Amino acid sequence: MKALLFMETDGEKVLGGSLELISAAKALDAEGTALIVGSRVAADTVANLGTPVIFIDAAADCDTLTEVLSQMVKKENPDIVLLSNTSMAKDVAPRITARMGLGCVSDVIGMSKDDGKVIYTRPAYGGTVLEHIEVEGTAVVTVRSGSFPKSEEGSKAAVTEKKVEIPAGAIKVKIVDKVKDICEAVNLEEAEIIVAGGRGMGNAENFKLVEELANVLGGVVGATRPPIEDGWICRSHQVGQSGKIVSPKLYIACGISGATQHTSGMSGSNYIVAINKDEEAPIFEIADVSIVGNVNEVIPVMIEEMKKVKEEAK
């Protein structure tokens, strides 16, 4: 089985979710080849992990990537095309699929083989059920970040540079300017620790406790929709169906009831700590540690204890 792994970059380094694709291919005993567009530094990084790399020096906009990937799928003829489930991949994957008449499965969290056939597992209906999908022919698959471990460094593999001609008609959109909100610097998808607050925090002033705890732990702040709609924090911090899908090592849910719209975006976390005054809150059903109490009383105690631990560790 041949796998083509599209490694998305931030312009220089490979995104963490893309590095997981190497392990995803190995889980299927597939012969993986990485495709990197635009960043030679990223190409060398992946080659050092023991995965052969095809490097193409081209722009990394959606139209160009669609054309590059389409041509490479034709040339390489892989059995499976893997992409990390990023915003870019959500645009590119269905376009390649439609253009080439392939199968497509999005937001995959597991892959396995059964009688030589690949079974893709993905959450559906807000994560309340899991779908097991089989695709005839080549499949274009986006993989949820955190579903597989990042590949460890191995023996150096080769980097092969190839040229791809981009027809003028393939570029439909021209980016003339970018306006970036300061909040967009938040990288929830690759955070190892996330402290998230919900409606139960009460108000914007109380929500600052979430930010303080995240700062003490060296983590990132997340939020459910209500705090964002009330203006306590900007939208780029939203976790859930209409926000970011995350899978950190530690997720602390503060004043979050556990509605499906939110838990579908964080249930893949390695370890979940939930704080809520309602002992029957749905969030406790998926939590590893459940703390029943007023978040505005519990969090200050946690902050002080964490500070003590950090001082003792010095």
Side-chain angles (χ1 to χ4, degrees), residues 11-275:
E12 292 186 2
K13 66 178 182 179
V14 182
L15 300 185
S18 291
L19 290 175
E20 296 175 17
L21 301 179
I22 299 174
S23 297
K26 289 179 179 177
L28 296 175
D29 293 324
E31 179 186 338
T33 300
L35 172 63
I36 294 181
V37 180
S39 173
R40 180 65 198 223
V41 173
D44 291 335
T45 299
V46 174
N48 287 334
L49 298 176
T51 299
V53 176
I54 295 173
F55 171 67
I56 296 174
D57 189 9
D61 60 89
C62 188
D63 288 337
T64 303
L65 289 178
T66 299
E67 184 64 29
V68 167
L69 269 164
S70 296
Q71 291 192 34
M72 292 311 302
V73 169
K74 288 179 182 177
K75 291 178 181 178
E76 298 297 316
N77 192 29
D79 299 290
I80 179 173
V81 182
L82 296 178
L83 306 89
S84 181
N85 195 45
T86 63
S87 297
M88 177 66 79
K90 291 174 185 177
D91 280 341
V92 173
R95 294 174 68 176
I96 300 168
T97 301
R99 180 179 295 190
M100 304 188 68
L102 307 177
C104 185
V105 188
S106 62
D107 198 25
V108 165
I109 60 173
M111 294 184 285
S112 60
K113 277 186 174 180
D114 184 16
D115 291 332
K117 298 179 180 178
V118 179
I119 306 299
Y120 305 100
T121 301
R122 66 180 300 275
Y125 300 107
T128 56
V129 300
L130 294 177
E131 287 184 317
H132 301 294
I133 300 172
E134 181 184 322
V135 176
E136 290 291 336
T138 300
V140 179
V141 179
T142 66
V143 181
R144 180 183 292 194
S145 178
S147 299
F148 294 89
K150 291 183 177 67
S151 182
E152 297 180 357
E153 192 163 337
S155 57
K156 186 175 177 61
V159 177
T160 304
E161 186 167 353
K162 294 189 177 183
K163 300 291 184 182
V164 171
E165 294 296 327
I166 308 296
I171 309 302
K172 307 295 184 182
V173 176
K174 180 181 179 181
I175 299 174
V176 296
D177 195 12
K178 292 182 179 180
V179 179
K180 189 172 184 178
D181 190 327
I182 293 176
C183 288
E184 291 182 8
V186 177
N187 192 347
L188 284 167
E189 292 97 333
E190 297 192 39
E192 294 192 346
I193 299 174
I194 296 177
V195 182
R199 190 195 302 274
M201 293 307 302
N203 54 52
E205 188 64 29
N206 292 340
F207 197 86
K208 291 179 181 178
L209 290 171
V210 173
E211 299 174 2
E212 187 177 352
L213 180 57
N215 184 55
V216 170
L217 294 172
V220 177
V221 178
T224 59
R225 177 179 284 184
I228 289 166
E229 292 182 340
D230 290 343
W232 302 350
I233 195 167
C234 62
R235 190 166 296 278
S236 59
H237 291 266
Q238 186 173 341
V239 175
Q241 278 184 337
S242 51
K244 304 290 179 62
I245 306 296
V246 301
S247 52
K249 291 181 178 177
L250 173 63
Y251 191 93
I252 303 179
C254 308
I256 295 173
S257 63
T260 301
Q261 290 85 347
H262 177 73
T263 57
S264 63
M266 47 68 71
S267 58
S269 305
N270 287 356
Y271 202 83
I272 301 171
V273 176
I275 310 167

